[in-house]
Amino acid sequence: MKNKFLLSAVCATALATGMFSCQDAAEDVKPGAVASEEINLPIKYVGAANLAACKAKADIMYNLKDGELNWVKDTLYCLCGDVRVPATKQLNIAAGTTIRGQKASRASLTAVVGAKINATGTAASPIIFTSTADAGTRARGDWGGIYLLGRARVNQTAPIKAEGFPNDITHPTSPAPTYGSNVDSFNGESSGTFSYVRIEFGGIALPGVANSEKNGLTMAGVGSGTVIDHVQVSSGADDGFEWFGGTVNAKYLISHKNLDDDFDTDFGYSGKVQFGVVSRDPAAADVSASNGFESDNDGTGSTATPRTSAIFSNFTVIGPIQCSNTYNSLYNDGLHLRRRTGIDVYNTIVVGWKRNQVYADPASILSTPAVAAPGDVIFRNNLAVRPQSIATPIVVEPVAPNNVWSVSATNVATSATVCAATNATNGGIYRASGLSSTAWLLTAVNFTPLATSGTYTSPVLTQGTNANAINAFFTANTTSTTATTTYYIGARRVADDNGWNTSSGWINWQPETASYPNDGDVNIL
């Protein structure tokens, strides 16, 4: 591997202190930008004194100390092992900071119950959690991921051990952290802020140990005082986002090229989430079968309360299939709802999936929209589009009166009838879904909907329902700033990007080749 950085004897000597310093530290490096070969920041090993010690920290817990709770952009942070923010402490991460997880140590970062992580980036200067591998060599499972753990209510006996920690097996003195409670008293608590953050190449597992893989961002028992917005999880080896119980809300989430499910809900999660995008790599799916949404009440499909009853609005869930392209046989559904889940979905586009666009098992029931009991599944103002090459049902749901999709006349299920060559092909998947062909372009995903033009009428620009009337947390999804009595379906509108700030650079569709501080540096590999 190419070493882009010349290390002086002074720098090498400084390794033993845990802080590696060079004279050419960049003051204003925009993470992920095309950078010069001079970008080399001081390295702070978090949880170890040097690289050798870092590699030996696999699954070993390290609690941040008081002097380690403020991370700044002119330092490169290398996570070593199971790094935790202790209870009552707050880790502050400045905009523009880059944090890289060391693979041999199976690095991860966790805010335990009672702790906070304030990762407050900006659209022009996001915070980046990524691999220590050089550009061009990064891969899924290069490190662990991020955990926010709280005491908000869950529907299992609390406290619960967090998934993804093989510590109990490998290092009994570093036990897995726990989360959750069985009361509502902590539902409003805060685990901090994640705003304008990218999380890339996580998901590492301990070989042979079930449930030891980590998601990109895990929120377990997290309260509604937590702020989550503008977060992109890319190329992880498990789920993009997963919620285990709790009440935290979120907006502007992107799951890009993750291996398993994109948005996974379980254990009574009851928050609200608006504006989300799913983008899939056709070649990569998980052995457990990959879905856009996967939702359970719990692992056994029990009637435990509170029921998983999150509300989602304005998602664009793009599957791996356009028409006749090749794709992994392990793909499954766009929305996979099972085991007595009770989530609601509004104003959402689901397109391009291998089995069903929407699958709701008989235990996820709804009597009628007018008399739905708390926690019953509700679908309204959604669009599901099956690729022309797929013959399985567009929607699978229980029969009346427990059906969940067809009970509302506002939902549309349709199929592409031809293999579309361009956005102008009538009957093709692009016009049917209201999305352009570049929505499937993995290097520059464009989720802007097609505009009505000539004889073509977009199926998503005015067919939605007012999300703000569903819940006050949601932003009104008006067709434009002037057309305020009609509402769009999907993650964004034609008129503008409705708060995504896509032009500011915080989104990166090609993290595999992005240039980050200290790329190629032998002191982090």
Side-chain angles (χ1 to χ4, degrees):
M1 179 180 297
K2 179 173 64 174
N3 183 355
K4 299 179 181 177
F5 309 101
L6 299 177
L7 307 178
S8 69
V10 173
C11 292
T13 302
L15 284 171
T17 67
M19 176 71 79
F20 172 74
S21 299
C22 286
Q23 295 299 312
D24 295 327
E27 292 295 328
D28 295 299
V29 179
K30 184 177 181 179
V34 176
S36 75
E37 302 220 342
E38 301 301 320
I39 297 174
N40 193 21
L41 299 181
I43 299 171
K44 170 63 180 175
Y45 298 101
V46 183
N50 52 50
L51 182 60
C54 183
K55 290 182 175 182
K57 291 284 289 186
D59 306 321
I60 297 177
M61 177 178 64
Y62 177 79
N63 289 312
L64 291 174
K65 299 177 176 59
D66 286 347
E68 301 175 311
L69 296 173
N70 292 288
W71 296 2
V72 294
K73 71 176 184 178
D74 59 1
T75 297
L76 187 284
Y77 296 88
C78 183
L79 295 178
C80 303
D82 175 10
V83 177
R84 303 185 191 182
V85 185
T88 75
K89 303 298 182 181
Q90 176 175 299
L91 171 62
N92 301 302
I93 306 176
T97 303
T98 301
I99 302 99
R100 305 182 77 154
Q102 215 291 319
K103 184 172 185 176
S105 75
R106 288 197 290 275
S108 61
L109 178 63
T110 300
V112 304
V113 169
K116 294 181 181 181
I117 298 176
N118 281 340
T120 309
T122 67
S125 192
I127 292 165
I128 309 226
F129 293 89
T130 193
S131 163
T132 54
D134 199 3
T137 66
R138 300 169 193 141
R140 296 179 182 91
D142 271 353
W143 66 292
I146 308 296
Y147 285 79
L148 301 179
L149 307 180
R151 295 186 294 176
R153 190 167 180 174
V154 297
N155 66 15
Q156 306 293 290
T157 301
I160 304 169
K161 286 186 178 181
E163 287 188 1
F165 290 86
N167 307 49
D168 293 343
I169 298 171
T170 57
H171 295 285
T173 57
S174 297
T178 61
Y179 67 90
S181 73
N182 298 121
V183 297
D184 293 329
S185 308
F186 308 112
N187 285 355
E189 286 190 341
S190 173
S191 294
T193 297
F194 263 62
S195 183
Y196 291 103
V197 173
R198 294 208 305 265
I199 304 168
E200 305 164 351
F201 306 107
I204 196 168
L206 181 64
V209 178
N211 296 321
S212 65
E213 68 275 3
K214 292 175 168 64
N215 305 305
L217 179 59
T218 299
M219 293 159 280
V222 176
S224 60
T226 310
V227 176
I228 307 289
D229 68 80
H230 297 90
V231 179
Q232 180 182 21
V233 178
S234 298
S235 296
D238 197 39
D239 297 342
F241 300 83
E242 185 158 11
W243 292 266
F244 293 94
T247 55
V248 61
N249 306 314
K251 287 183 179 179
Y252 303 107
L253 307 181
I254 298 174
S255 179
H256 178 54
K257 295 174 62 175
N258 292 299
L259 189 65
D260 196 6
D261 307 314
D262 295 286
F263 298 99
D264 196 339
T265 52
D266 209 339
F267 288 2
Y269 172 55
S270 61
K272 279 80 64 178
V273 189
Q274 187 182 26
F275 304 127
V277 173
V278 170
S279 173
R280 300 295 311 204
D281 178 354
D286 191 65
V287 294
S288 65
S290 298
N291 306 289
F293 281 29
E294 182 174 88
S295 186
D296 304 325
N297 194 45
D298 61 17
T300 64
S302 78
T303 58
T305 57
R307 191 175 179 184
T308 298
S309 57
I311 306 174
F312 291 87
S313 184
N314 295 101
F315 275 64
T316 298
V317 185
I318 305 167
I321 309 171
Q322 292 171 275
C323 178
S324 58
N325 62 298
T326 59
Y327 51 86
N328 193 301
S329 63
L330 294 171
Y331 271 108
N332 218 14
D333 307 316
L335 306 186
H336 186 79
L337 312 184
R338 61 184 186 176
R339 298 173 180 166
R340 288 192 169 89
T341 184
I343 69 169
D344 301 339
V345 181
Y346 298 84
N347 300 316
T348 289
I349 303 169
V350 187
V351 58
W353 292 85
K354 170 182 170 282
R355 192 177 73 163
N356 311 120
Q357 306 313 301
V358 178
Y359 172 85
D361 78 11
S364 300
I365 63 171
L366 168 69
S367 298
T368 66
V371 295
D376 279 349
V377 173
I378 300 175
F379 283 105
R380 292 181 189 165
N381 299 86
N382 301 297
L383 172 65
V385 182
R386 180 178 62 189
Q388 176 264 345
S389 59
I390 299 298
T392 50
I394 302 169
V395 175
V396 171
E397 61 178 341
V399 298
N402 295 329
N403 46 330
V404 294
W405 175 276
S406 59
V407 73
S408 174
T410 63
N411 295 311
V412 175
T414 188
S415 178
T417 57
V418 299
C419 192
T422 70
N423 296 337
T425 305
N426 288 324
I429 197 169
Y430 310 132
R431 285 198 162 194
S433 65
L435 298 171
S436 74
S437 60
T438 52
W440 281 263
L441 182 62
L442 293 180
T443 57
V445 177
N446 175 18
F447 54 97
T448 305
L450 296 171
T452 293
S453 177
T455 60
Y456 172 67
T457 300
S458 168
V460 300
L461 297 191
T462 60
Q463 290 82 350
T465 189
N466 184 0
N468 183 252
I470 297 166
N471 189 278
F473 172 77
F474 293 141
T475 301
N477 49 314
T478 56
T479 300
S480 70
T481 56
T482 55
T484 57
T485 58
T486 56
Y487 306 93
Y488 62 87
I489 294 173
R492 66 160 290 176
R493 59 190 175 194
V494 170
D496 56 39
D497 75 355
N498 52 278
W500 278 98
N501 293 323
T502 55
S503 63
S504 299
W506 76 273
I507 300 170
N508 191 331
W509 302 110
Q510 300 184 76
E512 294 84 359
T513 56
S515 292
Y516 292 135
N518 299 67
D519 269 356
D521 192 335
V522 297
N523 295 290
I524 60 173
L525 297 174

